[in-house]
Amino acid sequence: MINNLKPKGLAISMIIEAESANYGEGVGNVASLKKMSRGKGNQYTYISRQALRYNIGEQLGEKYAPVKAEGSGEKKVIQFDESATIDEYPEIDFFGYLKTEKGTGGKKRSAKIRISNAISLETFKGDLDFLTNKGLADRLKDDMNIAQAEIHRSYYRYTIVADLDQIGIDEEYSIELPNSEKTRRVKKLLDTVAFLYRDIRGRREDLKPLFAIGGVYDIKNPVFQNVINIKDNRILVNQIQGVLYDNIAKDTYCGLVEGKFDNDNEIKSKLKSLSMPEFFNKLKAKVDDYYEGN
């Protein structure tokens, strides 16, 4: 099997807005959001890459790959079944697999679609929500214990990077899919990200991007991951321009939902932003060009 595709990376960094979208381990009767600290102890909530990967896989609309439990007792692990291959299951084509087998090194595939954590761009201030199921308690004419959950509404930033030349190719099984199927899969991924959501605690959180920037590049670096920031509800455009090298700028597109940020005009002027549907259509056209030209 020979892969003649020129190495290319699809990289998109996005800003979304969400509320209390990923909880970790609780402490007593308090449900705790996933958080990290920076600088002088400022806390930022985040949506883990595993949570985003789960939601993307769930909403792709493709068959789930079969899994099995391997080992016994406390050493039992869940992994993909030996029969699961990338030609039938885009899930493992995108996100990889590890299949252990006693007496062998097993089989593995690294992720070809890599997702960062979605990290809040506004600090967590310790807000709490008090929770009771009053409707059911009233039926029993009984008191109920009050539970608490941390809450945080914020803008979040995350990045997706795809190894376009490695989608649909698996040397472990000597599989290479037609370029038409590779195109279909990547475009479906883009459609999924464009309308992504997350169900949590009886809510459906809208995770579709309000701002996005990226393109198809000769490098596979998550170009904009560390330069998208917000201050006073303004996207810091100068930071983004700081990484727009000539070879990056010519292949970069920007998408914007107007009316959310206070510097829309600056974004449109300096980054030549498009509407969000236009942005995703441009990326899908670039994916078409890439696979049709190889």
Side-chain angles (χ1 to χ4, degrees):
M1 181 173 59
I2 301 175
N3 180 8
N4 292 318
L5 292 174
K6 180 181 178 181
K8 285 276 189 180
L10 168 66
I12 316 170
S13 291
M14 292 164 279
I15 293 176
I16 61 175
E17 187 176 19
E19 178 183 330
S20 310
N22 202 184
Y23 284 89
E25 293 294 326
V27 180
N29 68 339
V30 179
S32 178
L33 289 167
K34 289 182 179 288
K35 296 185 289 294
M36 61 179 66
S37 298
R38 289 270 293 174
K40 297 181 179 180
N42 287 333
Q43 289 191 315
Y44 297 84
T45 60
Y46 69 94
I47 308 168
S48 72
R49 64 175 182 82
Q50 294 93 335
L52 293 170
R53 178 247 187 269
Y54 171 81
N55 291 132
I56 290 171
E58 174 190 42
Q59 292 161 42
L60 269 174
E62 303 283 342
K63 290 190 299 182
Y64 279 131
V67 297
K68 65 177 181 179
E70 191 73 21
S72 59
E74 294 181 356
K75 295 184 178 181
K76 185 178 289 187
V77 296
I78 298 175
Q79 62 183 26
F80 290 107
D81 191 83
E82 170 61 27
S83 65
T85 51
I86 69 163
D87 52 339
E88 291 191 62
Y89 304 104
E91 174 188 14
I92 58 175
D93 185 15
F94 287 166
F95 303 117
Y97 59 75
L98 175 62
K99 302 175 182 179
T100 59
E101 187 177 345
K102 193 173 182 180
T104 73
K107 295 178 179 178
K108 63 181 178 180
R109 173 181 177 79
S110 63
K112 308 307 176 186
I113 306 292
R114 296 175 174 87
I115 308 169
S116 74
N117 294 328
I119 301 173
S120 70
L121 297 174
E122 300 164 89
T123 57
F124 174 64
K125 303 299 186 184
D127 294 320
L128 288 172
D129 188 18
F130 290 87
L131 310 171
T132 60
N133 199 333
K134 188 176 186 303
L136 297 183
D138 285 350
R139 296 183 201 179
L140 289 175
K141 310 296 183 186
D142 197 1
D143 293 329
M144 290 189 67
N145 290 331
I146 294 177
Q148 300 175 81
E150 293 180 334
I151 55 173
H152 185 215
R153 184 166 186 84
S154 175
Y155 292 120
Y156 290 81
R157 172 190 65 205
Y158 80 103
T159 299
I160 293 179
V161 180
D163 295 330
L164 293 182
D165 55 299
Q166 296 176 36
I167 297 294
I169 298 172
D170 191 352
E171 296 180 356
E172 288 281 3
Y173 290 87
S174 298
I175 293 172
E176 180 164 4
L177 302 179
N179 283 355
S180 59
E181 175 61 11
K182 298 174 186 177
T183 302
R184 185 193 75 83
R185 291 184 177 188
V186 176
K187 289 169 71 174
K188 195 166 186 182
L189 172 70
L190 290 171
D191 286 336
T192 302
V193 171
F195 291 97
L196 193 65
Y197 62 86
R198 178 165 174 75
D199 290 337
I200 182 166
R201 293 177 172 259
R203 293 176 283 112
R204 177 159 289 180
E205 287 296 318
D206 182 6
L207 304 185
K208 68 176 181 287
L210 303 174
F211 172 87
I213 188 166
V216 174
Y217 304 108
D218 292 330
I219 61 173
K220 298 180 180 181
N221 183 278
V223 183
F224 303 100
Q225 181 170 313
N226 293 320
V227 295
I228 293 180
N229 284 294
I230 293 176
K231 184 177 181 180
D232 299 327
N233 204 49
R234 299 172 66 89
I235 293 175
L236 302 184
V237 174
N238 289 345
Q239 288 190 5
I240 296 172
Q241 290 182 305
V243 298
L244 284 175
Y245 299 93
D246 290 343
N247 62 323
I248 298 295
K250 67 183 179 67
D251 293 320
T252 294
Y253 299 97
C254 175
L256 175 69
V257 175
E258 292 189 38
K260 289 297 295 186
F261 305 103
D262 292 343
N263 60 330
D264 282 359
N265 289 335
E266 181 187 15
I267 296 167
K268 287 187 283 187
S269 172
K270 293 184 178 180
L271 299 179
K272 311 300 180 188
S273 63
L274 308 168
S275 71
M276 204 58 71
E278 289 173 325
F279 170 78
F280 279 100
N281 284 337
K282 287 285 189 182
L283 291 187
K284 287 192 282 187
K286 285 294 183 180
V287 170
D288 278 330
D289 292 345
Y290 174 65
Y291 287 118
E292 288 175 3
N294 287 281

